[in-house]
Amino acid sequence: MIRDLYNVRVRPAEHETTPLTDEEEQRVRAVLFSELGNKIADQGWARFPAYTPEDRRRLVAVAHRLTAHWGQQVFVEAEDLTRVRLCLAGQETSPESSTARP
């Protein structure tokens, strides 16, 4: 007996990711805008993981959107290969490096 399969997609290889649909991408950016925006507004900076180039591009786009929304520059800097820091102007120095050490 032959059966038709509906809504079946080929799974990507383990190292590949499936791109988000436009609607999913808009939802992700809206959540990042809200969550990271609140955290940046509270403490002046926020860290977020960015494992892929797409994740980093997404965070840069969110920073540009926050800059336009607030009218104040939001900077983006890579802390390492897997983490990005977004901060307001004047908060560019890392909190760890600004604390006095004995």
Side-chain angles (χ1 to χ4, degrees):
M1 172 187 288
I2 297 176
R3 294 184 183 186
D4 291 330
L5 300 175
Y6 298 100
N7 297 327
V8 175
R9 295 185 287 178
V10 177
R11 292 183 62 184
E14 284 188 29
H15 63 278
E16 294 180 19
T17 59
T18 305
L20 299 177
T21 65
D22 289 339
E23 182 182 344
E24 290 169 334
E25 184 68 31
Q26 289 174 357
R27 287 182 187 171
V28 168
R29 289 184 186 208
V31 169
L32 289 173
F33 178 82
S34 174
E35 295 296 320
L36 292 176
N38 288 339
K39 190 164 186 179
I40 294 169
D42 289 343
Q43 64 187 26
W45 60 274
R47 286 190 181 108
F48 201 79
Y51 299 108
T52 65
E54 184 56 39
D55 291 339
R56 290 185 279 281
R57 281 191 290 273
R58 189 175 293 126
L59 291 171
V60 168
V62 168
H64 288 302
R65 189 171 163 205
L66 287 168
T67 296
H69 181 71
W70 287 335
Q72 184 176 1
Q73 182 70 40
V74 176
F75 294 99
V76 180
E77 61 183 50
E79 289 191 323
D80 56 29
L81 292 175
T82 61
R83 190 170 47 186
V84 172
R85 185 171 186 268
L86 289 82
C87 60
L88 292 173
Q91 300 287 329
E92 291 90 356
T93 58
S94 176
E96 290 83 19
S97 65
S98 65
T99 58
R101 294 185 183 157

